[in-house]
């Protein structure tokens, strides 16, 4: 059974770079369809940030494309999110998820990590 | 971007009630529509994919349907564990979530 776990700093200063890692167990990140990052400001909407296909190609939410990069480490079976030039508006719960199946649904999620942007 | 308009934003209901949540897509997304349930402090969980297929373990009181670009999630008889927030999601062109519907106790 696939399991995902986000890790990274819970506090980032404005204008700096947010870096999160999603550790995956039970399924190789080089398989499946996509691996995704989603965020949720407190009690607000879910926002898809970007995804990495199992071959390493990436796609991003257009409004964030200039600030976001998703990468992977196949030897450690994890994938990562980097978001540059953060502001308070980037404060949110960040989730990683596996995208699977014909209808590209997010069938497995990590528990989430709260990232606060503050000086 | 494909916009997803979900309604209502909240609904008050009692155990045993029938609850209906609607999601309208701003584009023809065919059957690339998924539903998620999120409880406080937890990650969303996949409920239904491809409009109407229940994820493993999801009770049959949940039902998803489609009429053109309008999609509906129906809970036939609300149970105590169903009080949660529900999100639709299109996966036809990248991914977009609806704004969520909070099902609250009346």
């Amino acid at each position: 059974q696939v399991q995902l776990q986000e890790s990274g700093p819970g506090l980032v200063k404005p204008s700096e770079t947010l870096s999160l890692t999603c550790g995956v167990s039970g399924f190789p990140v080089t398989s499946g369809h996509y691996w995704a990052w989603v965020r949720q400001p407190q009690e607000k909407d879910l926002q898809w940030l970007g995804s990495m296909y199992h071959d390493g190609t990436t796609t991003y939410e257009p409004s964030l494309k200039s600030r976001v990069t998703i990468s992977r480490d196949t030897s450690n079976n994890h994938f990562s999110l980097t978001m540059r030039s953060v502001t308070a508006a980037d404060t949110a719960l960040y989730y990683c998820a596996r995208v699977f199946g014909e209808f590209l649904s997010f069938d497995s999620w990590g528990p989430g990590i709260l990232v606060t942007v503050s000086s | 971007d494909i916009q997803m308009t979900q309604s209502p934003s909240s609904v008050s209901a009692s155990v045993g009630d029938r609850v209906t949540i609607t999601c309208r897509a701003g584009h023809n997304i065919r059957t690339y529509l998924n539903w998620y349930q999120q409880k406080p402090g937890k990650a969303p969980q996949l409920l239904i994919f491809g409009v109407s297929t229940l994820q493993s373990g999801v009770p049959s009181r949940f039902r998803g349907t489609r009429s053109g670009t309008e999609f509906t999630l129906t809970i036939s008889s609300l149970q105590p564990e169903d009080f949660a927030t529900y999100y639709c999601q299109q996966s036809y062109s990248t991914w977009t979530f609806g704004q969520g519907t909070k099902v609250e106790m009346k």
Side-chain angles (χ1 to χ4, degrees):
Chain A
Q1 181 174 342
V2 62
Q3 290 189 312
L4 299 91
Q5 178 71 55
E6 305 87 353
S7 61
L11 181 64
V12 182
K13 289 183 168 55
S15 80
E16 295 192 344
T17 296
L18 178 164
S19 295
L20 298 175
T21 294
C22 182
V24 180
S25 60
F27 201 89
V29 295
T30 52
S31 296
H33 282 276
Y34 290 88
W35 302 89
W37 286 97
V38 175
R39 72 179 179 182
Q40 185 174 37
Q42 194 165 0
E43 297 187 25
K44 287 192 169 63
D45 300 351
L46 296 166
Q47 181 184 27
W48 169 74
L49 302 179
S51 296
M52 172 174 279
Y53 196 47
H54 66 82
D55 68 357
T57 57
T58 52
T59 180
Y60 300 109
E61 205 283 334
S63 69
L64 295 170
K65 188 175 181 178
S66 63
R67 297 199 293 131
V68 170
T69 301
I70 295 175
S71 58
R72 67 180 181 178
D73 180 343
T74 56
S75 59
N76 289 302
N77 209 47
H78 70 234
F79 64 105
S80 299
L81 172 76
T82 300
M83 182 180 290
R84 296 169 289 279
S85 303
V86 297
T87 69
D90 296 311
T91 294
L93 257 175
Y94 285 76
Y95 296 101
C96 58
R98 185 181 75 166
V99 184
F100 200 74
E102 177 185 356
F103 297 100
L104 303 177
S105 56
F106 292 20
D107 73 331
S108 298
W109 296 66
I113 184 169
L114 177 62
V115 177
T116 301
V117 178
S118 174
S119 55
Chain B
D1 280 17
I2 296 179
Q3 299 302 312
M4 302 300 292
T5 304
Q6 188 173 340
S7 62
S9 57
S10 66
V11 57
S12 295
S14 301
V15 172
D17 284 354
R18 181 185 186 91
V19 172
T20 299
I21 299 167
T22 298
C23 207
R24 186 179 295 275
H27 189 276
N28 179 8
I29 60 170
R30 296 164 56 190
T31 55
Y32 289 85
L33 190 284
N34 311 304
W35 290 97
Y36 299 84
Q37 177 192 67
Q38 186 178 31
K39 295 184 178 179
K42 299 290 188 182
Q45 282 193 302
L46 179 63
L47 207 61
I48 290 173
F49 58 90
V51 175
S52 59
T53 303
L54 299 184
Q55 176 70 335
S56 176
V58 173
S60 58
R61 61 180 178 272
F62 291 92
R63 180 169 175 246
T65 55
R66 171 199 180 196
S67 176
T69 59
E70 185 170 288
F71 301 85
T72 301
L73 172 68
T74 301
I75 309 172
S76 59
S77 177
L78 195 68
Q79 297 302 299
E81 60 269 30
D82 301 336
F83 291 100
T85 301
Y86 295 84
Y87 295 90
C88 62
Q89 177 207 47
Q90 68 81 20
S91 53
Y92 178 78
S93 175
T94 63
W95 294 267
T96 316
F97 292 92
Q99 298 90 340
T101 297
K102 188 173 185 178
V103 178
E104 302 173 300
M105 198 174 301
K106 186 184 286 184

